[in-house]
Amino acid sequence: MYALKFISGKYQGGVFPLKPNKQVVIGRSSDLDMVLVEDMVSRKHAKITCQDGKVLIEDLGSTNGTFVNGEKIVRAARLKEGDRILIGTSILKLVAEASGSPVDDQVVKQNLEAAAAAAASRQTRSSSSMTGKIEEVPLPDLLQLFGTSKKNGVLFIKGEGHSARIFMRQGRVYYAVIDESHDLGPQKSFYRIVRWETGDFELQPPDNQEFMVELEDPVDHLLLEGLRQLDELRRIEKEIPQGNAPLSLSMPLTAPLRDLSPDQLDLLQLVFNEGSMQAVLDRAPGTDLEISPALLDLIKRSYVKAQAR
């Protein structure tokens, strides 16, 4: 038994059970099985069929397309548990459900309307905005969906004790900022944001704000590099100081300064001036992956002392 769980959109939190050997037609028309009334959804948008233990999805010639895991489908595609479907502003996830008595269609509709009412009460912006939780749809997957479907807008994220905004134009990420700290730069900010694993997101309307520096790489390139950096940082995370761990120059400083390169000397000066791991990462030019191993090298060579918090 399978069901479609809404993780974003009007019915966020709602569940639509799939019945064996039955088609579910999704669209804007009021006489369909699943009605999504919004401009980006066609009158008859997509069809999902659950038959012989297989779940298939087919786009019905919709104007804006149907997307599965960030890929636009051009013909029928088979779904597997955990797959994410983007239709309009709704993201649905295929989930397994324990076998039980079939749920009456009217009860399903009532439950979805209750979910819509609950989502509306939580929502502070327009009813067309997309909201959800990172735990349900990780940011790399979400950005891939938005990139393929060429979304415009500002993705607002609140999580990990911070807030962030990712600016998109036709699905391309052109700027990112954390806590409105523009000194970090859009690239370093983006690579940090995609590492967040908990929090809430909301796709807000486009912002006409202009920036001196914009990201130019395609979103898939940015995501690949962000995930590569995440893997590398995880590999050394047990060795490097975390968060606001205090850093200081080793005293007495017996290691010879002449053995350091100009970049290493600049990093040593940042340690002296800033005094904490996070402040050094924030102020140093370069990504966290570039700076963290360099700091670790200075610690191992007895130029820098890290204190546990």
Side-chain angles (χ1 to χ4, degrees):
M1 296 290 292
Y2 290 99
L4 297 171
K5 181 179 181 181
F6 284 82
I7 55 180
S8 178
K10 175 182 177 181
Y11 299 115
Q12 182 186 347
V15 176
F16 189 99
L18 297 177
K19 296 181 179 180
N21 304 316
K22 188 178 185 301
Q23 294 181 346
V24 175
V25 181
I26 304 169
R28 202 171 63 237
S29 178
S30 60
D31 60 346
L32 300 183
D33 305 296
M34 184 188 294
V35 181
L36 300 177
V37 182
E38 57 175 280
D39 293 340
M40 294 184 66
V41 177
S42 297
R43 185 176 177 276
K44 286 188 177 181
H45 196 106
K47 178 175 67 177
I48 295 178
T49 306
C50 186
Q51 189 170 11
D52 300 327
K54 298 178 182 179
V55 182
L56 302 176
I57 184 168
E58 180 183 355
D59 184 82
L60 299 178
S62 66
T63 302
N64 293 295
T66 302
F67 301 84
V68 176
N69 298 330
E71 297 292 332
K72 186 175 183 178
I73 60 172
V74 294
R75 57 179 64 88
R78 184 173 177 179
L79 297 174
K80 61 182 183 299
E81 184 180 351
D83 281 350
R84 297 178 180 90
I85 305 159
L86 175 65
I87 297 176
T89 63
S90 294
I91 301 176
L92 304 92
K93 182 178 180 181
L94 184 68
V95 298
E97 286 213 324
S99 298
S101 301
V103 181
D104 181 76
D105 290 345
Q106 190 61 32
V107 173
V108 171
K109 183 178 179 181
Q110 291 172 356
N111 290 341
L112 286 179
E113 291 303 325
S121 67
R122 295 191 302 266
Q123 204 163 300
T124 58
R125 299 197 175 256
S126 67
S127 61
S128 62
S129 107
M130 296 178 67
T131 62
K133 289 189 171 294
I134 299 173
E135 295 90 329
E136 290 280 6
V137 50
L139 285 174
D141 294 354
L142 186 66
L143 289 167
Q144 187 178 29
L145 282 170
F146 290 167
T148 309
S149 55
K150 300 186 182 303
K151 294 288 188 188
N152 292 307
V154 180
L155 183 62
F156 177 78
I157 309 124
K158 190 168 185 177
E160 309 282 337
H162 300 277
S163 63
R165 292 190 295 161
I166 295 177
F167 295 76
M168 293 177 297
R169 185 188 298 125
Q170 287 294 299
R172 186 179 72 85
V173 173
Y174 66 93
Y175 197 78
V177 63
I178 299 174
D179 295 332
E180 299 304 317
S181 178
H182 296 272
D183 292 340
L184 282 179
Q187 187 178 62
K188 182 183 288 188
S189 296
F190 180 84
Y191 291 149
R192 286 187 184 181
I193 295 166
V194 295
R195 300 204 300 260
W196 294 2
E197 296 180 343
T198 60
D200 301 301
F201 69 82
E202 178 183 5
L203 182 61
Q204 300 175 355
D207 190 318
N208 294 325
Q209 184 176 357
E210 296 183 358
F211 303 101
M212 294 293 293
V213 178
E214 291 190 359
L215 297 171
E216 297 182 353
D217 289 334
V219 67
D220 55 343
H221 290 188
L222 289 169
L223 289 172
L224 283 173
E225 177 59 19
L227 294 175
R228 184 190 73 82
Q229 292 196 16
L230 174 59
D231 289 340
E232 291 295 320
L233 286 170
R234 282 176 173 169
R235 187 175 58 82
I236 61 172
E237 66 181 350
K238 292 184 179 179
E239 299 181 84
I240 59 176
Q242 298 296 312
N244 287 314
L247 299 178
S248 61
L249 300 189
S250 297
M251 298 299 290
L253 185 58
T254 57
L257 293 175
R258 63 176 175 272
D259 290 346
L260 298 180
S261 68
D263 287 343
Q264 290 172 321
L265 287 171
D266 288 345
L267 191 55
L268 200 66
Q269 184 177 17
L270 272 178
V271 170
F272 180 77
N273 290 338
E274 302 298 333
S276 76
M277 182 69 179
Q278 191 61 58
V280 171
L281 289 175
D282 289 348
R283 293 294 303 277
T287 66
D288 292 346
L289 180 60
E290 294 168 334
I291 304 305
S292 296
L295 270 174
L296 181 59
D297 180 61
L298 291 176
I299 292 171
K300 289 181 175 180
R301 294 167 63 187
S302 299
Y303 289 98
V304 173
K305 181 179 180 182
Q307 303 175 33
R309 290 188 67 86

